[in-house]
Amino acid sequence: MEKEWELFLAPYEQAVGEMKVKLRGIRKQFREQNKHTPIEFVTGRVKPVDSILTKAALRNIPVDRIEEEMQDIAGLRIMCQFVEDIHQVVDIIRNRKDLHIIQERDYITNKKESGYRSYHLVIEYPVQLITGEKKILAEIQIRTLAMNFWATIEHSLNYKYQGIFPEEMKERLQRAAEAAYQLDEEMSTIREEIQEAQHLFSHGRGKSKDN
Ligand code: 0O2
């Protein structure tokens, strides 16, 4: 990689590294307190230079405007078991003092035409550099494991078809997205039942102790 790009991307690398530690820290705290963790796992990446340039060309973003206009050079992804967990994670992030949310895109309520579902937050995250503080734009995608499964498969097929899917494939992917949605719905019902059962269990135990 050219030295200039390396220098440009270094604060993004730092932001992604720090955010990964912090988001994984949320999971750790839930587990330490024996609570259901709304975060299953966290990944993060800095967009490769060729992808930055391709996206900039597609969106007519001049190279000297990339920093201001490209919001996902730093990208974090949070995977959750249940749709309800996504909203809990969003609330936790909204309450943090170490970042600032500048945009929310709810592709769960409003799924994309492709069938894509996820909750996106565009944030401003301050990194401390030897030259002082620098605010970095980052995109956090929050999704269930089922949404992630679909998006990962669709993303790799996108490479094969260069974004132009044959009609039949498009329909298949839309059907698969619907199946993933049904799976999430079904899991949400089970989740409620698990919680109900846990509640009854702890209640029952409490009673027998009293007797
Ligand atoms: P990569 O390789 O994931 O980094 P737009 O793309 O115009 O709809 P915008 O403003 O770029 O919108 O942001 P958006 O839609 O909030 O987020 C774009 C990112 O969301 C994409 O990044 C993907 O990661 C993901 N995404 C959005 N739509 C889809 C989709 O239909 N399928 C899949 N698999 N992922 C999607 P990049 O830059 O495309 O690529």
Side-chain angles (χ1 to χ4, degrees):
M1 204 197 312
E2 263 180 54
K3 192 76 195 160
E4 248 179 74
W5 274 110
E6 212 173 288
L7 286 174
F8 174 73
L9 293 178
Y12 291 91
E13 295 280 0
Q14 187 171 327
V16 169
E18 289 179 15
M19 289 291 299
K20 273 200 287 191
V21 169
K22 290 181 179 189
L23 295 170
R24 286 173 181 156
I26 299 175
R27 174 182 160 82
K28 190 163 172 277
Q29 285 180 53
F30 275 99
R31 288 175 70 93
E32 279 164 358
Q33 293 174 32
N34 286 324
K35 290 180 183 156
H36 164 75
T37 169
I39 295 179
E40 191 62 15
F41 65 96
V42 177
T43 61
R45 62 101 184 97
V46 172
K47 214 177 184 64
V49 177
D50 57 338
S51 307
I52 296 176
L53 292 172
T54 309
K55 192 164 180 171
L58 273 171
R59 303 278 160 88
N60 290 317
I61 303 173
V63 177
D64 60 351
R65 296 286 306 160
I66 286 176
E67 187 176 336
E68 291 81 15
E69 294 186 27
M70 206 171 287
Q71 298 171 325
D72 66 341
I73 295 178
L76 279 308
R77 206 167 268 167
I78 302 174
M79 266 55 68
C80 310
Q81 288 184 349
F82 305 103
V83 179
E84 292 78 0
D85 296 338
I86 297 178
H87 300 295
Q88 191 182 350
V89 171
V90 171
D91 279 340
I92 291 171
I93 296 176
R94 280 193 193 121
N95 285 323
R96 288 191 77 104
K97 301 275 184 285
D98 56 349
L99 55 86
H100 176 58
I101 298 177
I102 54 174
Q103 215 178 335
E104 297 196 18
R105 289 200 272 269
D106 181 358
Y107 298 127
I108 294 176
T109 315
N110 309 298
K111 68 164 191 238
K112 288 204 167 188
E113 202 218 330
S114 59
Y116 178 78
R117 291 162 66 237
S118 253
Y119 200 100
H120 291 192
L121 297 174
V122 178
I123 62 155
E124 209 172 52
Y125 179 80
V127 285
Q128 309 303 319
L129 305 175
I130 48 174
T131 44
E133 183 176 282
K134 185 176 170 65
K135 290 201 170 78
I136 294 290
L137 284 178
E139 183 181 75
I140 308 180
Q141 302 179 342
I142 311 159
R143 39 170 87 153
T144 61
L145 297 169
M147 292 174 196
N148 189 50
F149 178 41
W150 183 92
T152 308
I153 303 282
E154 199 258 6
H155 196 265
S156 33
L157 278 173
N158 233 313
Y159 271 104
K160 178 172 172 187
Y161 293 106
Q162 308 256 312
I164 307 160
F165 290 116
E167 199 53 36
E168 200 207 329
M169 180 58 78
K170 207 170 142 186
E171 282 166 19
R172 279 193 187 181
L173 283 167
Q174 282 165 345
R175 279 202 298 277
E178 183 54 33
Y181 173 76
Q182 294 297 337
L183 180 59
D184 276 336
E185 290 276 288
E186 203 60 45
M187 287 301 184
S188 286
T189 341
I190 293 172
R191 175 185 184 262
E192 277 157 29
E193 273 188 36
I194 292 169
Q195 284 184 339
E196 228 170 81
Q198 281 173 340
H199 182 72
L200 285 173
F201 180 69
S202 58
H203 223 68
R205 257 204 330 200
K207 246 193 206 160
S208 63
K209 257 192 197 163
D210 288 341
N211 288 341

